[in-house]
Amino acid sequence: MDDPRIASRIDGQTALPGQTPRQPREDVEVMANLRSAFSTWTVVLKDLTRFGARIEGIEGLEIDEAVNLGLPGHRPAMAFVSWNGAHGTGLEFAEPLAEAVYEDLVERHGLGRQNDPILSVRPAGGSTVS
């Protein structure tokens, strides 16, 4: 088992609810497109690692189903459904996200970030207040 993605599925590190993911997840919130072989949906990307994500807004995907997750500002990422539950759907990326892509998504869409343009207010004086 030289492929770390296969090993991670077998040893339970696909971040099923109640399990510990192999990398800390960053809370994010951004709309994304999800495509399967037959349909396209708009979902909410809720948390993210370089290896996978949790989405909300869809039900009925099959475990191991191949999907493409449209990442805002980046190329879509191929992923496989690793779990479904009351708290969303877990995806495992076929290839880890490039570090720069991951950092950009967390920087732009991470919750509680000081430099999030949605959280920043520009007062009359011109400097940004967070």
Side-chain angles (χ1 to χ4, degrees):
M1 278 191 227
D2 295 328
D3 186 334
R5 291 170 293 155
I6 294 171
S8 71
R9 283 190 152 186
I10 292 171
D11 69 14
Q13 292 191 13
T14 56
L16 294 170
Q19 293 183 333
T20 303
R22 66 177 125 185
Q23 179 180 355
R25 291 188 175 268
E26 290 285 344
D27 290 329
V28 297
E29 189 161 89
V30 63
M31 303 299 272
N33 288 322
L34 185 75
R35 286 188 182 180
S36 73
F38 305 107
S39 299
T40 301
W41 302 271
T42 299
V43 297
V44 180
L45 182 60
K46 297 299 284 186
D47 65 37
L48 184 68
T49 73
R50 288 189 57 227
F51 302 96
R54 179 172 61 90
I55 59 171
E56 292 181 353
I58 187 170
E59 296 179 8
L61 294 174
E62 299 292 326
I63 303 300
D64 292 327
E65 183 174 348
V67 295
N68 282 303
L69 179 64
L71 300 170
H74 300 280
R75 294 176 56 192
M78 183 178 180
F80 297 94
V81 175
S82 57
W83 57 267
N84 276 316
H87 300 289
T89 299
L91 302 177
E92 182 176 357
F93 297 131
E95 297 292 331
L97 294 178
E99 187 69 32
V101 170
Y102 171 74
E103 288 177 3
D104 178 64
L105 290 167
V106 170
E107 181 75 18
R108 290 191 298 132
H109 305 290
L111 297 180
R113 298 287 174 170
Q114 293 298 315
N115 55 355
D116 187 330
I118 294 172
L119 298 177
S120 298
V121 177
R122 191 170 300 277
S127 63
T128 301
V129 176
S130 296

